[in-house]
Amino acid sequence: MHKNIRFLEKWSSVQIITVGFLFIILLGAAILSLPISSRSGQWTNLVDSLFTATSAVCVTGLVVLDTATHWSLFGKVVIISLIQIGGLGFMTIATMISLIRGKKINLKERLLIQESLNQIDLSGIVSLTRKIILMVFIIESVGGILLSISFIPKFGLIGGLAYGFFHSISAFCNAGFDLMGSISGEFSSLTSFYDNSFIMITVSLLIILGGLGYPVILDVLKNKRFSKLNVHSKLVITSTVLLLLVGFVFIFGLEYNNPDTLGNMDMKGKVLSSIFQTSTLRTAGFNSIDLALTKEPTILLMIILMLIGASPASTGGGIKTTTVAVLFLTVKDFLCGKDEIHIFERSISFDSIKKAIVIFFIAIFIFIVGTLVLSITNPQFSLIECVFEVMSAYATVGLSIGGSPNLNTIGKFIIMILMFLGRVGSLTIFTAILSINIAKKDKNIRRPKGKIIIG
């Protein structure tokens, strides 16, 4: 036992987080494969169970088995539990358990929480965790109650509450799992509620709140006025609003006359579906229209928005709004001949710019390789279907136009790997792997500068 503890102490924070997520996925897959987890009382294929557990823990929403019709009540409870763990982060859950037990959080655990929540400052990290747990509980509870108001008349008191809280947790955690398969057909998501203002707006707000990031929500609650917010919160809110507006305008305009999507809806349905679909591209995975029937320009827009994703320290994926914002500002200020990159009267550090560039290029590399491998191993998918599926998995979005159930076994493993990379963070995983072999002394070596012609 003591040997195992000493062995773990030698691991870096990113290595423990990576292995921790993997352990939870494997445990979830083992439980979901049991007969008690399926509605039929039969064993579930281990690959499909692993796919479902990966999608739940990585809060993605891609499924190969319809959640409502395949899984039993026990299985659904397991899935929503995995979603909650994945949304909060297993270190946050572990901290909550330790606090309940009255256990002190040591320095190693604080460093793990800091890495898990993507925080810069270590001070006050336990207090921040307490606030996050309370905030998540309040938001999901309010969302659950609001959704239950619409679901209780349809499913009864117990059923309505179950549906309300399941979809509230799934929406806030940006997971995209739904229970509508037994109501409106398998893999139908929320398409039957496209004109229900209450459900569409409530789910959209939960998705947006989950995608803003815990530090931003707490900063807004503390300072209330935009001018008093820190520069990170200002950048996140500004970029999020801009992306939501751009997404809404393009989806509404491009699909307005498409008879297969918005064309046959009244104005209320068109507006609600455009708002909802733009919000869900923040990496949530719900849909109110059949995405396979959207126009190709709309699909291209959705791929771009999925790549950007949500914001840091949130329940969403993607390369993050701040990464894209920093890259955009870097290009703009470079073209303007400015020596410093700045926003909201604050300069952006070179380390932040360098990290944004690394994250962007790793994402593009994984996206290209993933698309290539998936298109080779799953020839039944068109190229654009492969591109969409890969981006949806890597950005932990959960939307599909080719149909995840149509993937072969190799394709399912490819998507699982992409979901894992997207949730844990490709930069985190590569750092965890490379840190095993890179000697620390190499970091102190300074070499002569070489001149390279660029452009």
Side-chain angles (χ1 to χ4, degrees):
M1 180 68 178
H2 293 295
K3 288 182 179 179
N4 291 333
I5 294 172
R6 285 198 296 270
F7 177 70
L8 285 174
E9 287 176 349
K10 295 179 181 178
W11 285 16
S12 67
S13 297
V14 291
Q15 288 169 343
I16 293 174
I17 289 170
T18 302
V19 173
F21 266 103
L22 186 59
F23 172 77
I24 293 168
I25 288 171
L26 293 174
L27 178 62
I31 296 172
L32 287 175
S33 66
L34 299 173
I36 192 177
S37 297
S38 70
R39 202 169 183 177
S40 64
Q42 303 294 316
W43 289 85
T44 300
N45 181 285
L46 189 56
V47 174
D48 291 340
S49 298
L50 183 60
F51 190 100
T52 303
T54 304
S55 185
V57 174
C58 298
V59 289
T60 304
L62 288 173
V63 292
V64 291
L65 299 169
D66 183 71
T67 309
T69 57
H70 179 82
W71 303 107
S72 65
L73 176 61
F74 177 80
K76 291 166 187 171
V77 171
V78 171
I79 289 171
I80 202 64
S81 300
L82 293 174
I83 289 171
Q84 189 70 86
I85 293 170
L88 272 172
F90 79 92
M91 275 310 302
T92 306
I93 299 292
T95 304
M96 179 179 69
I97 295 170
S98 296
L99 291 172
I100 291 171
R101 293 173 57 195
K103 179 179 175 292
K104 283 193 174 183
I105 311 299
N106 61 36
L107 179 59
K108 180 69 174 179
E109 290 167 337
R110 290 169 190 264
L111 290 170
L112 282 169
I113 299 166
Q114 179 190 22
E115 184 69 34
S116 178
L117 295 175
N118 198 17
Q119 293 299 292
I120 298 171
D121 196 356
L122 183 62
S123 63
I125 198 72
V126 177
S127 175
L128 175 64
T129 305
R130 285 196 190 97
K131 291 176 182 177
I132 288 173
I133 293 167
L134 179 61
M135 179 187 67
V136 170
F137 175 77
I138 292 172
I139 292 174
E140 290 180 347
S141 296
V142 172
I145 292 169
L146 290 175
L147 289 175
S148 296
I149 293 172
S150 291
F151 289 138
I152 286 173
K154 190 175 183 66
F155 305 111
L157 179 61
I158 302 301
L161 287 170
Y163 270 73
F165 278 86
F166 184 98
H167 290 93
S168 177
I169 295 170
S170 183
F172 181 76
C173 291
N174 279 221
F177 279 78
D178 69 272
L179 300 177
M180 300 304 168
S182 56
I183 307 301
S184 50
E186 293 186 354
F187 311 108
S188 58
S189 192
L190 300 179
T191 52
S192 61
F193 296 94
Y194 74 90
D195 60 347
N196 187 314
S197 305
F198 204 75
I199 292 176
M200 291 290 103
I201 297 300
T202 301
V203 173
S204 295
L205 287 174
L206 286 167
I207 292 167
I208 293 168
L209 284 172
L212 281 176
Y214 306 125
V216 175
I217 299 174
L218 292 172
D219 192 24
V220 170
L221 291 173
K222 179 182 177 182
N223 295 301
K224 295 179 177 62
R225 292 174 59 185
F226 185 82
S227 59
K228 292 184 177 181
L229 301 179
N230 61 48
V231 67
H232 170 78
S233 298
K234 289 179 179 178
L235 188 58
V236 165
I237 292 171
T238 303
S239 55
T240 298
V241 171
L242 284 173
L243 288 168
L244 288 172
L245 286 173
V246 169
F248 169 78
V249 170
F250 273 88
I251 291 175
F252 183 80
L254 291 170
E255 297 298 319
Y256 188 88
N257 291 318
N258 184 349
D260 296 319
T261 54
L262 303 182
N264 294 323
M265 297 180 185
D266 57 17
M267 185 55 68
K268 175 188 173 184
K270 292 178 194 287
V271 172
L272 282 175
S273 289
S274 298
I275 292 172
F276 183 79
Q277 213 53 66
T278 303
S279 302
T280 198
L281 289 168
R282 313 304 303 143
T283 80
F286 294 107
N287 59 285
S288 59
I289 56 176
D290 189 341
L291 301 181
L293 301 177
T294 55
K295 298 178 180 179
E296 288 191 353
T298 307
I299 292 175
L300 177 59
L301 171 73
M302 290 192 289
I303 291 169
I304 294 169
L305 291 175
M306 288 192 297
L307 171 64
I308 298 171
S311 301
S314 72
T315 59
I319 62 174
K320 304 298 188 285
T321 53
T322 50
T323 301
V324 174
V326 167
L327 291 175
F328 173 80
L329 291 168
T330 301
V331 172
K332 179 182 75 68
D333 286 358
F334 177 81
L335 293 175
C336 293
K338 296 180 180 178
D339 294 328
E340 266 192 343
I341 314 301
H342 63 275
I343 184 70
F344 299 118
E345 299 181 356
R346 294 288 188 275
S347 62
I348 299 173
S349 69
F350 177 69
D351 284 343
S352 295
I353 296 169
K354 186 166 63 173
K355 187 175 181 180
I357 294 170
V358 170
I359 289 172
F360 177 76
F361 277 98
I362 287 177
I364 296 300
F365 173 76
I366 291 173
F367 167 65
I368 292 172
V369 172
T371 302
L372 180 64
V373 176
L374 189 67
S375 63
I376 292 172
T377 57
N378 286 259
Q380 75 276 17
F381 278 63
S382 66
L383 181 59
I384 195 158
E385 288 173 340
C386 288
V387 168
F388 195 95
E389 198 82 12
V390 166
M391 185 57 73
S392 180
Y394 181 65
T396 68
V397 178
L399 299 173
S400 178
I401 60 173
S404 299
N406 298 324
L407 292 165
N408 59 27
T409 302
I410 296 175
K412 290 175 184 177
F413 274 103
I414 292 169
I415 296 301
M416 280 188 268
I417 292 169
L418 289 167
M419 289 191 289
F420 187 75
L421 286 171
R423 178 62 185 100
V424 179
S426 49
L427 184 61
T428 299
I429 292 175
F430 287 144
T431 302
I433 295 171
L434 293 174
S435 62
I436 297 172
N437 299 316
I438 295 177
K440 291 183 179 179
K441 63 181 181 180
D442 191 51
K443 295 180 181 179
N444 300 320
I445 296 175
R446 295 291 181 267
R447 298 174 176 82
K449 292 182 180 180
K451 293 184 178 180
I452 299 175
I453 300 172
I454 302 293

